[in-house]
Amino acid sequence: MQLVAETRDSARITAVALKAYARIVEAWALSLKEAAALADMSESTWKRARKPDFAGELTKDQLLRLSAVVGIYKSLELYFSDPLARTWITRPNTGPLFGGARPLDSAIEGGLPQILAIRTYLDALRGGA
């Protein structure tokens, strides 16, 4: 019984994470290639995953990435007003984490550690640290 419940919980978590991520991808106007790379998926997997009936599983790394991206989105929405909140991730940034690159490119290239670093950076800005 416990395995069935864990499977249902895992499927529910995956569905919620993908739905939230799809909304963020749309809000940030990311391309198919960018969205897939940020989530560490192939483009064909992202095409399938963004549909409501997706029955696949995500790796722990992918779930952590999506969770961190949700945190980044939330921080941007709280810290900046539109349109900056929606475009910050795709604008060149001279901050210490980015060296003139777009935060999105930095996150894709640096993977989960960089995504988490960006989230921490934004949380510190928001918290005044």
Side-chain angles (χ1 to χ4, degrees):
M1 263 330 246
Q2 186 176 358
L3 183 58
V4 172
E6 287 176 12
T7 302
R8 273 192 235 130
D9 288 345
S10 177
R12 190 173 320 132
I13 289 168
T14 296
V16 169
L18 288 170
K19 185 176 181 179
Y21 184 66
R23 287 182 176 173
I24 292 168
V25 165
E26 184 178 324
W28 287 348
L30 302 184
S31 70
L32 176 71
K33 182 178 181 177
E34 291 168 333
L38 185 59
D40 194 31
M41 297 178 186
S42 67
E43 291 178 39
S44 61
T45 299
W46 170 237
K47 281 182 188 179
R48 288 191 317 275
R50 65 186 182 178
K51 294 180 182 175
D53 61 345
F54 179 69
E57 293 185 21
L58 299 179
T59 66
K60 288 185 182 198
D61 179 86
Q62 289 169 325
L63 283 171
L64 284 170
R65 283 170 179 258
L66 300 188
S67 175
V69 168
V70 169
I72 290 169
Y73 177 83
K74 181 181 175 184
S75 289
L76 290 171
E77 290 293 316
L78 290 171
Y79 193 68
F80 300 117
S81 59
D82 281 335
L84 184 56
R86 302 291 172 100
T87 59
W88 183 89
I89 198 84
T90 57
R91 298 173 84 151
N93 191 314
T94 58
L97 285 177
F98 314 110
R102 300 182 317 159
L104 175 64
D105 297 330
S106 171
I108 291 169
E109 184 178 314
L112 183 58
Q114 182 66 2
I115 294 168
L116 293 172
I118 293 169
R119 180 170 182 190
T120 301
Y121 172 78
L122 289 170
D123 286 347
L125 286 177
R126 192 167 50 95

